[in-house]
Amino acid sequence: MTPPVSADVLPAEEKITVTINGVKYNVPTTFSEVSLATYVRRHLHLTGTKLMCREGGCGICTVHVAHPDASGQIVQRSINSCLCPILSCDGWEVTTVEGIGSQEKPHPVQQALTDHYGTQCGFCTPGWIMTMYSLLQNSSGRSLTKQQIENNMDGNYCRCTGYRPILDAFKTFAQDGVNANAAVCDLEDVGSKTCKTTGGPCHGKCADFRAGSPYVAALAMEAAMIAPPWYKPTTLDELYKKAEELAGKNVYYVVGHTGKGVYNDYPYDAYVDLKGIAALSGVTKTDKVLTIAANTPLTDVISTFNQTASTSGFKYLTTLAAIISKTAHTSVRNAGSWAGNLALKNQHHDFPSDTYTAFTMAGTQLMIGPENKLYSMEDFLTFDLKGKFILQAHFPTYSDDYVFRTYKIMPRATNAHALVEAGFRAKLDKGQQGQVVITERPALIFANINDEFVHAKATEDFLTGKNIADPQLLKGALTTLQNEVQPKEDPAEASVEYRRSLAVSLFYKFALELVGDLADARYKTAVGSLVRPVSSGSQSFETKQENWPITQAIPKLESMVQCTGEAKYISDIETEGILRAAFVLTTQANASIYRLDATAAMALPGVLRVITASDVPGKNVIGTPGRTPIMGEEILATTQSYYAGQPVAIVVAVSREMAEEGAKLVKVEYFNVQTPILTCLDAINSNSFHETKMKDINVGDAEVAVKNAAVSVEGSFEMGAQQHFHTETMVTVCYPTEDGMNVEAGTQFIDGTQSAIAQACGLGKNKINVTVKRNGGGFGAKGSRINIVAAAVGIAAFVMKRPVKMHQSLWDNFKLIGRRLPYLIKYKAGTDAAGKLAGIVLDVYGDCGYQPSASVIVNGLPNWIDNIYFSPAWKVRLHACKTNTPPNTHCRAPGSTEGIYMTEYVLQHLAYASGKNPVDLKRQNFLKNGDNLLEGATIKDCNIGPLTEQLMSSASYNDRAVAVDQFNKDNRWRKRGISVVPMRFAVHWRNGNYNCLVAIFHEGGTIAVTHGGIELGQGINTKVVQVIAYELGVEMSRIQVQPTMAITNANARGTYGSISTELVCLSAIECCRQLNDRLKPVKDANPNVKWEDLIETCYKQGIDLSARTWTNPKPEEPLVYNTYCAMCTEVEVDILTGESHVLRLDCLYDCGESISPYIDIGQVEGGTIMGLGYYMTEEVRFHPKTGQNLTFGTWKYKPPFAKDIPIDFRVALLKNAPNPSGVLRSKLMQEPPLCATASVVFALRQAIQASRTEAGKNDWFPNDVPMTVERVQQYAQTQLADLVYKP
């Protein structure tokens, strides 16, 4: 059934009306399970709004909405369209990125982000644009500050840019910003006027719709058949009556619908929209009570609290506002109501609700209907809400002798649930000198301890009427609390030890606050949490105008179309009649498969077929053609589930949602279930290794050298995995043709994807035409792991004889696709008395997953392990561990990141053992030209010494190191650390095969180029265009990059390893040389001829105006050149919680003579932040019994967000450093900067060690990465006896 545009087709009760980008749409109530994001993308084909997590955790789907509140005032806000049902938008105006501007007429926000080179892959860009646009609309008539803007960007994710350029672009709209754009937007007027077209609020400009009538695609008949009813009562009586009618059914009561991002208790029998009930909206206040109605969004709760706090008795509300401000992020708080948050807590006691913690601490009472009785928060938790509804929250007044404090400790700065959170309330009597008496029972509230633990009742009893300033009483209270807090063991959560320790530490912080100046000044700095100021950054590079457009700093060529939402990605393909596919994934690792039962799936309307291994038309295996299934990887598992998340079948349906739901209904039964092997240590204990020929390294006799060394160390450490977390998840679309198949695949390696589909379908590669225009990120995952998705889609299209698309959910992407290899390293090393390295012994265990393909990464470690250090003796043994996890794979800077860290860690240990500053020990052992490298080459271009000195000087390292020491002396519970990591990245060109085709067209002299690289956000297209424009002497505007295709890039290498951009540029240069040679005679005859006339003359003379090049470099030595980098990182750590801030990060990178400085700066920043995520926040966990990935979405897996970047972020490209061995004197970029971010680990170590030393622990402590807040706090090993008021 197609949604009618005319309002006369359906009666009012069977439709809602919504205005989208100025056009009104009538949507039938059969769309009850269609989200706003799906509606605009699939049914309106407004694909500028992207979709990734479907949890409200990434901000990629952000749109702007305007609607009247209960008082009739127009509310304008950003929301997550993935969580918002389209039927919830009745009477709303929705604006998507297409509605605010186009590349011909961009909105100032779109222009600003383009000008600040704030896009790379661009998939997340529309979400950022709409978040900022919405802030401007909502701030009409008010001045914005940089802090407000940065605070508002707490829910948008970007893997590519490192956030800094995005924040800088948006801060130009702040009144305290540089080159403020505020006047451009007429903030005083926008929002206060009425739109003449829609009758709603003015958005500053009207949308530019160039396509006549709006397009509206039909809802699948099968979806309409099973759509649950949608009800919208307008009074409480209607609500209560409807609830009685629906008794016993699974009903979703809709306000913000944000709870779906945490718990999806699907399927629902009905939806009831509560937003039209006036009695559930509004705020009232008396002298004694503040009353807030149930539908009030969290954003308005925060605003109400902050405004009311100036009133007598309500000062404490700012404390409540502070913790609720940390709930999710702005767009979720804009939509989600406080009552919905509490209802979720009532239904799921394990939900760590910030609202529940805050309200309970405040002694809030809830009015619940229809009885209209008041209940305490404690009683509410066990109250049966079936048929009952939260109506109001009542907040009492408190006198000024009460103290309130809340804490929320998260795995990152924003948009995360609490590891532990606490709310404390105490009434004090400070009448007697030296005493602080808690005069009534305090409230000590905790969340995420266990499902039922709310009050620390024993500790509350212990403290009542006592003098908290008494050191012995403090000791007793801490002991009581430690005994009382019994966290629930949960493999998906922080450890029991950490959560118990953290709860105790948070109360200790509160005690320090209560006693105030009675505590030692060094200890009082623990009070409160780390406060982050507005971030800033600087960028330094050189450009040579005489060489422009190369060396010219320009934004990415695709930036504007990414900012306007006009850039199309493979996941945006919504062709009519296309079928959708989803994998059935196993749920048990290391088990035999007994049988599959697809009965329930096939009974679901819309499911057309369940494809199993027996249906595969070709070979049920991906990998090198000719491999047996034993050596290759099965596309669909047959007899064995090696890992949880392994594909076992493909469900094909008429929609994505039906395919995914059908996949869940397929039952997989197992037998012979064994304990899964999940780590390198498990593999060692089980003797589980891949049979691969590892290339061990022996130089000299390292064992003897270490044994005889003046200083020697020994130990072990682990390095964790890292999800790629590309914003566009794995996607492929296959179109069967009369003679084969056309394919659009999100791949980094066309040849490999072409092979996978051909082999699976039993076709020749010449019948598989793969095309790629751009990818929404890749980071190595789409080099090989895309092939299991592509092969499956090829199979489905072949079997169904229809076009099929699979756009993996983020959840399946995490479960199925491998990740950066985890490692276990055992080491021994030594130096002579002066500090010179004597020898290093490493046993390296790399977790390849259940397939050996990633062993090539382990085997390549010797290229990186020596980094920039010379040791006369090495012994490196390599082991490829076989585990019951998905096949791991390349992830940005694979092998180099880990190899460099390994030796850096060893040198840190040696420096500690010898009492040296690590920087001094490192410089003492730098490579020199003429030294031999572990890979066998001789180094010739080493500039690491001068580069490191330059960084240390520009970063003021020596002065800051002294300041760090002084800070640590002045503070007991806040510690700082500073570290410098220099690095070398070896560049190898062999097997770097790429095509390039440049075609010049007569009738205007425009130029098209298609090359062998894939645009992933790294700016390859921009650099290629700059190079061609330079070589041909034409304007860049004449050149258009066309998609990469198998036919024009046959047999070529994938886009990975960082070398693609420079080798494609090299290939483009050769094409231009051919063309210039052909043009030269004509040009010599007409020296002043215009370009277009020159081309026309050549055309008439029959000169070939196309050139193709196949680049196959064969340098004399495998090592072409090295690039160098040094990074200095300073951190501040809250020892009691493990939280930290990166105060400042300085990076000096040698990229030769940069072809495109903005592109290269962006790569440094993006790589650095991805590295900070790897080393600090991103942790992968598996269930110890099933092997299931427990961190498979945005709820548990935490890459950095905008407030996790360095507060002071300084990037410089080394000047006056042309590379004689590079393309146009440049050096590669993309991966190397990530390697240097290891500096943050050693800065954290220094801060932790400062605390340990003060506690009398002077020994070296081993540390694993990532250095999560949990690990940082636990490594400090703070004991109960350390928690005192004075030393």
Side-chain angles (χ1 to χ4, degrees):
M1 182 179 184
T2 301
V5 175
S6 172
D8 300 326
V9 177
L10 288 174
E13 66 272 13
E14 294 183 20
K15 68 182 179 182
I16 65 101
T17 300
V18 59
T19 301
I20 301 176
N21 296 337
V23 179
K24 288 187 177 181
Y25 298 89
N26 295 299
V27 186
T29 53
T30 51
F31 277 64
S32 58
E33 296 203 316
V34 176
S35 70
L36 173 57
T38 298
Y39 185 75
V40 298
R41 285 178 56 79
R42 187 179 306 161
H43 297 280
L44 304 186
H45 285 197
L46 296 173
T47 56
T49 300
K50 305 304 180 191
L51 199 57
M52 184 182 75
C53 74
R54 290 185 274 170
E55 296 176 325
C58 67
I60 283 171
C61 67
T62 303
V63 298
H64 175 73
V65 299
H67 59 84
D69 63 13
S71 67
Q73 293 293 313
I74 296 297
V75 174
Q76 301 196 65
R77 285 182 179 154
S78 63
I79 64 167
N80 295 106
S81 62
C82 73
L83 297 179
C84 179
I86 181 60
L87 297 186
S88 184
C89 302
D90 193 12
W92 289 15
E93 289 189 55
V94 177
T95 305
T96 71
V97 69
E98 295 95 339
I100 70 170
S102 65
Q103 55 185 312
E104 291 85 9
K105 296 179 180 179
H107 187 275
V109 174
Q110 295 166 329
Q111 188 66 59
L113 196 59
T114 297
D115 293 344
H116 284 76
Y117 50 99
T119 79
Q120 288 189 27
C121 87
F123 198 79
C124 69
T125 301
W128 284 99
I129 292 291
M130 295 312 297
T131 298
M132 185 62 207
Y133 171 84
S134 191
L135 176 63
L136 292 174
Q137 298 298 316
N138 195 40
S139 302
S140 174
R142 294 186 290 114
S143 298
L144 286 171
T145 65
K146 290 187 288 186
Q147 185 70 70
Q148 288 173 318
I149 290 172
E150 196 160 295
N151 289 347
N152 198 71
M153 302 300 145
D154 58 351
N156 290 75
Y157 169 64
C158 178
R159 189 54 135 179
C160 300
T161 65
Y163 299 100
R164 196 278 314 159
I166 299 174
L167 296 177
D168 279 4
F170 292 166
K171 287 173 189 173
T172 63
F173 294 92
Q175 294 296 333
D176 58 346
V178 179
N179 301 320
N181 272 314
V184 177
C185 289
D186 293 326
L187 296 183
E188 296 290 338
D189 296 326
V190 174
S192 62
K193 297 180 179 179
T194 299
C195 176
K196 296 178 181 179
T197 303
T198 68
C202 172
H203 300 315
K205 65 181 297 181
C206 288
D208 177 19
F209 289 102
R210 288 154 292 168
S213 300
Y215 178 89
V216 184
L219 178 68
M221 178 182 64
E222 296 85 349
M225 288 169 50
I226 62 174
W230 183 279
Y231 303 105
K232 191 173 183 180
T234 57
T235 67
L236 287 176
D237 288 341
E238 289 180 13
L239 172 62
Y240 298 150
K241 182 178 180 181
K242 183 58 65 177
E244 288 181 11
E245 294 173 3
L246 297 172
K249 295 188 176 183
N250 187 21
V251 181
Y252 199 116
Y253 292 95
V254 178
V255 179
H257 203 247
T258 56
K260 180 177 176 290
V262 184
Y263 301 100
N264 189 0
D265 299 320
Y266 187 88
Y268 296 103
D269 299 309
Y271 293 87
V272 179
D273 189 344
L274 305 181
K275 294 193 298 300
I277 302 174
L280 295 180
S281 297
V283 175
T284 60
K285 185 178 75 66
T286 68
D287 290 343
K288 297 296 184 181
V289 178
L290 171 69
T291 302
I292 302 181
N295 281 358
T296 308
L298 292 172
T299 294
D300 292 340
V301 171
I302 295 166
S303 176
T304 298
F305 282 168
N306 285 328
Q307 292 172 12
T308 310
S310 60
T311 307
S312 176
F314 292 108
K315 181 180 178 181
Y316 73 96
L317 292 177
T318 57
T319 308
L320 276 63
I323 193 169
I324 296 175
S325 295
K326 295 181 179 179
T327 298
H329 56 84
T330 300
S331 292
V332 166
R333 297 192 297 269
N334 285 343
S337 68
W338 66 264
N341 189 284
L342 291 183
L344 202 63
K345 176 70 173 179
N346 176 274
Q347 189 174 3
H348 299 275
H349 287 188
D350 60 334
F351 175 50
S353 166
D354 305 328
T355 300
Y356 184 82
T357 300
F359 284 21
T360 306
M361 176 196 67
T364 307
Q365 290 186 306
L366 302 180
M367 179 177 286
I368 296 179
E371 291 82 3
N372 293 352
K373 289 180 61 177
L374 289 173
Y375 291 85
S376 70
M377 297 301 299
E378 292 80 2
D379 290 340
F380 166 77
L381 195 60
T382 56
F383 185 82
D384 186 357
L385 268 181
K386 291 178 182 177
K388 314 291 183 181
F389 298 90
I390 304 170
L391 304 180
Q392 298 173 342
H394 293 190
F395 300 89
T397 56
Y398 287 94
S399 58
D400 290 344
D401 46 6
Y402 282 86
V403 178
F404 293 79
R405 172 65 71 173
T406 56
Y407 288 99
K408 182 178 181 180
I409 311 304
M410 301 181 287
R412 68 179 175 213
T414 61
N415 196 18
H417 74 289
L419 300 170
V420 169
E421 71 179 355
F424 302 126
R425 183 188 75 236
K427 185 177 183 180
L428 305 181
D429 180 358
K430 297 184 178 182
Q432 296 187 43
Q433 187 173 0
Q435 291 195 10
V436 179
V437 178
I438 299 177
T439 59
E440 66 179 31
R441 184 187 182 94
L444 308 181
I445 313 300
F446 293 94
N448 213 24
I449 301 300
N450 61 56
D451 293 355
E452 308 306 325
F453 188 85
V454 178
H455 280 268
K457 295 179 180 178
T459 310
E460 290 174 349
D461 289 340
F462 180 86
L463 290 168
T464 303
K466 306 288 180 56
N467 174 23
I468 187 65
D470 180 354
Q472 290 304 310
L473 184 90
L474 173 66
K475 181 179 179 181
L478 294 172
T479 302
T480 302
L481 183 60
Q482 182 172 261
N483 294 333
E484 183 177 12
V485 172
Q486 298 296 326
K488 179 180 70 172
E489 186 77 49
D490 185 342
E493 289 292 339
S495 68
V496 167
E497 295 75 17
Y498 173 64
R499 284 183 284 152
R500 180 185 293 117
S501 172
L502 185 53
V504 172
S505 294
L506 294 180
F507 172 71
Y508 170 62
K509 281 172 165 277
F510 184 58
L512 285 169
E513 182 175 7
L514 296 182
V515 301
D517 291 340
L518 297 177
D520 184 272
R522 294 183 68 250
Y523 288 70
K524 284 198 303 179
T525 55
V527 172
S529 301
L530 296 173
V531 178
R532 179 184 171 91
V534 175
S535 66
S536 63
S538 64
Q539 306 80 45
S540 174
F541 55 86
E542 68 176 342
T543 181
K544 296 187 175 181
Q545 192 166 350
E546 64 273 19
N547 292 336
W548 284 7
I550 64 168
T551 81
Q552 186 177 4
I554 61 172
K556 256 179 95 255
L557 295 181
E558 301 89 348
S559 289
M560 184 56 78
V561 291
Q562 291 171 340
C563 288
T564 60
E566 294 167 276
K568 297 299 180 183
Y569 297 78
I570 297 166
S571 57
D572 293 332
I573 296 172
E574 294 289 351
T575 308
E576 287 292 334
I578 196 169
L579 300 179
R580 306 299 288 264
F583 278 127
V584 178
L585 303 179
T586 61
T587 56
Q588 177 65 54
N590 204 7
S592 298
I593 298 172
Y594 176 55
R595 65 183 175 188
L596 274 70
D597 183 355
T599 305
M602 290 303 300
L604 181 69
V607 171
L608 303 180
R609 183 155 182 177
V610 177
I611 297 171
T612 62
S614 61
D615 300 313
V616 176
K619 295 180 179 179
N620 182 34
V621 63
I622 60 171
T624 304
R627 279 185 171 182
T628 66
I630 295 174
M631 287 300 294
E633 178 183 358
E634 285 186 313
I635 300 168
L636 300 176
T638 53
T639 62
Q640 191 73 15
S641 173
Y642 292 100
Y643 62 93
Q646 186 172 358
V648 71
I650 307 163
V651 174
V652 183
V654 298
S655 73
R656 182 184 191 184
E657 293 77 15
M658 288 177 170
E660 291 176 350
E661 185 58 28
K664 295 175 185 176
L665 294 176
V666 176
K667 297 178 181 178
V668 184
E669 297 181 41
Y670 310 93
F671 70 102
N672 191 28
V673 177
Q674 305 293 314
T675 300
I677 298 167
L678 300 174
T679 67
C680 290
L681 188 59
D682 289 346
I684 294 170
N685 293 336
S686 302
N687 195 30
S688 179
F689 299 97
H690 291 292
E691 295 181 4
T692 57
K693 295 181 180 179
M694 292 281 99
K695 184 177 64 178
D696 293 351
I697 299 294
N698 285 284
V699 177
D701 193 332
E703 294 278 6
V704 172
V706 173
K707 182 178 180 180
N708 296 331
V711 177
S712 62
V713 297
E714 184 173 358
S716 66
F717 59 92
E718 292 184 78
M719 304 182 72
Q722 183 179 32
Q723 299 282 175
H724 303 83
F725 216 139
H726 37 80
T727 49
E728 185 181 33
T729 54
M730 298 294 189
V731 59
T732 298
V733 184
C734 289
Y735 307 87
T737 66
E738 63 185 48
D739 53 5
M741 197 170 293
N742 291 334
V743 179
E744 295 199 55
T747 180
Q748 295 178 233
F749 185 19
I750 281 183
D751 186 60
T753 299
Q754 184 187 25
S755 295
I757 298 172
Q759 185 169 261
C761 294
L763 300 172
K765 287 179 69 173
N766 64 332
K767 296 185 177 183
I768 309 296
N769 185 33
V770 182
T771 302
V772 187
K773 183 171 180 64
R774 62 170 61 89
N775 274 334
F779 310 108
K782 297 176 181 177
S784 62
R785 300 311 301 154
I786 179 63
N787 292 341
I788 195 165
V789 173
V793 179
I795 291 167
F798 189 96
V799 169
M800 303 300 294
K801 307 301 181 187
R802 288 179 62 181
V804 176
K805 173 183 177 182
M806 181 188 288
H807 181 200
Q808 278 206 307
S809 69
L810 180 68
W811 314 301
D812 285 359
N813 213 79
F814 274 29
K815 294 173 184 177
L816 164 63
I817 304 304
R819 49 197 64 84
R820 184 186 297 278
L821 276 68
Y823 288 88
L824 169 65
I825 300 93
K826 300 178 181 180
Y827 65 91
K828 293 186 288 187
T831 68
D832 63 19
K836 280 284 195 177
L837 285 170
I840 297 178
V841 179
L842 297 173
D843 266 300
V844 180
Y845 298 85
D847 179 355
C848 297
Y850 104 94
Q851 277 285 317
S853 54
S855 63
V856 297
I857 302 172
V858 180
N859 210 32
L861 282 168
N863 290 334
W864 320 105
I865 280 179
D866 50 353
N867 193 13
I868 41 80
Y869 306 114
F870 177 78
S871 173
W874 289 87
K875 185 174 184 178
V876 183
R877 290 184 291 258
L878 305 172
H879 312 270
C881 297
K882 183 177 182 180
T883 61
N884 295 118
T885 62
N888 286 321
T889 189
H890 300 80
C891 182
R892 193 174 194 168
S896 52
T897 296
E898 299 83 7
I900 288 170
Y901 178 84
M902 292 173 194
T903 302
E904 287 293 324
Y905 185 98
V906 171
L907 264 65
Q908 288 283 332
H909 195 172
L910 284 167
Y912 192 83
S914 61
K916 290 179 175 289
N917 185 321
V919 175
D920 295 335
L921 183 73
K922 293 174 186 180
R923 289 189 291 185
Q924 195 173 350
N925 288 282
F926 277 170
L927 287 164
K928 301 180 182 63
N929 285 329
D931 286 341
N932 291 326
L933 301 172
L934 271 186
E935 67 171 85
T938 300
I939 195 163
K940 300 176 181 179
D941 60 355
C942 187
N943 67 351
I944 192 61
L947 185 146
T948 303
E949 295 298 328
Q950 183 176 330
L951 171 86
M952 292 176 65
S953 174
S954 63
S956 305
Y957 169 80
N958 292 329
D959 291 342
R960 289 167 59 201
V962 171
V964 164
D965 289 341
Q966 186 60 50
F967 180 90
N968 291 340
K969 291 176 183 177
D970 293 341
N971 295 272
R972 176 62 187 96
W973 298 118
R974 300 280 174 86
K975 299 294 183 183
R976 290 183 179 178
I978 187 169
S979 175
V980 173
V981 166
M983 58 143 290
R984 173 184 65 89
F985 191 94
V987 179
H988 305 89
W989 280 359
R990 285 190 176 174
N991 302 317
N993 304 329
Y994 296 97
N995 285 283
C996 186
L997 172 64
V998 178
I1000 308 173
F1001 298 95
H1002 82 108
E1003 298 179 346
T1006 57
I1007 302 166
V1009 55
T1010 178
H1011 57 74
I1014 306 294
E1015 178 58 67
L1016 305 164
Q1018 80 278 42
I1020 189 171
N1021 288 345
T1022 302
K1023 286 190 175 182
V1024 167
V1025 169
Q1026 286 178 280
V1027 166
I1028 292 173
Y1030 174 75
E1031 293 291 330
L1032 294 181
V1034 299
E1035 303 91 346
M1036 290 177 61
S1037 59
R1038 291 186 181 273
I1039 306 168
Q1040 178 65 49
V1041 180
Q1042 296 294 341
T1044 303
M1045 303 175 67
I1047 187 67
T1048 59
N1049 192 44
N1051 309 313
R1053 172 193 167 105
T1055 301
Y1056 41 70
S1058 295
I1059 65 171
S1060 305
T1061 299
E1062 62 180 354
L1063 290 185
V1064 166
C1065 285
L1066 186 65
S1067 187
I1069 290 170
E1070 174 57 24
C1071 287
C1072 292
R1073 185 197 63 76
Q1074 295 176 28
L1075 291 168
N1076 281 328
D1077 287 347
R1078 298 173 199 166
L1079 299 177
K1080 188 175 185 301
V1082 179
K1083 192 172 183 179
D1084 287 348
N1086 301 275
N1088 298 318
V1089 67
K1090 293 182 179 179
W1091 172 259
E1092 53 268 36
D1093 296 333
L1094 170 66
I1095 298 306
E1096 200 63 32
T1097 301
C1098 292
Y1099 164 73
K1100 291 177 180 178
Q1101 293 182 13
I1103 294 174
D1104 185 359
L1105 294 174
S1106 297
R1108 175 187 172 275
T1109 299
W1110 169 258
T1111 297
N1112 182 25
K1114 296 180 179 179
E1116 295 180 2
E1117 296 183 6
L1119 179 61
V1120 180
Y1121 64 85
N1122 294 281
T1123 189
Y1124 301 92
C1125 174
M1127 191 173 288
C1128 177
T1129 305
E1130 183 180 357
V1131 301
E1132 183 174 335
V1133 175
D1134 185 328
I1135 295 296
L1136 294 173
T1137 65
E1139 297 168 295
S1140 64
H1141 283 165
V1142 179
L1143 299 177
R1144 178 174 165 182
L1145 186 147
D1146 295 71
C1147 179
L1148 179 59
Y1149 185 83
D1150 172 17
C1151 66
E1153 198 170 282
S1154 172
I1155 291 175
S1156 191
Y1158 279 178
I1159 298 294
D1160 289 338
I1161 288 284
Q1163 291 300 300
V1164 173
E1165 293 175 332
T1168 297
I1169 302 309
M1170 187 168 179
L1172 292 183
Y1174 173 58
Y1175 284 119
M1176 296 181 72
T1177 64
E1178 299 181 44
E1179 187 174 25
V1180 178
R1181 295 182 179 219
F1182 296 96
H1183 194 283
K1185 293 183 179 179
T1186 66
Q1188 291 185 41
N1189 186 339
L1190 299 174
T1191 50
F1192 60 87
T1194 59
W1195 181 250
K1196 292 292 186 183
Y1197 191 78
K1198 299 299 180 183
F1201 265 45
K1203 284 201 170 186
D1204 297 296
I1205 71 172
I1207 295 169
D1208 186 350
F1209 195 178
R1210 307 186 186 194
V1211 174
L1213 303 182
L1214 187 65
K1215 299 177 181 178
N1216 301 313
N1219 176 23
S1221 302
V1223 177
L1224 296 176
R1225 302 168 298 283
S1226 69
K1227 289 187 176 183
L1228 58 68
M1229 185 51 82
Q1230 285 86 45
E1231 295 179 312
L1234 190 151
C1235 305
T1237 51
S1239 58
V1240 73
V1241 177
F1242 306 119
L1244 289 168
R1245 278 194 60 93
Q1246 182 185 359
I1248 296 167
Q1249 189 60 61
S1251 179
R1252 288 170 60 94
T1253 299
E1254 193 161 343
K1257 302 178 181 69
N1258 294 307
D1259 56 319
W1260 169 266
F1261 67 95
N1263 74 272
D1264 300 328
V1265 293
M1267 292 279 275
T1268 60
V1269 291
E1270 175 182 354
R1271 281 185 171 141
V1272 169
Q1273 196 257 18
Q1274 291 288 282
Y1275 288 146
Q1277 291 189 337
T1278 301
Q1279 304 299 312
L1280 210 63
D1282 299 323
L1283 304 181
V1284 295
Y1285 293 136
K1286 296 180 180 180

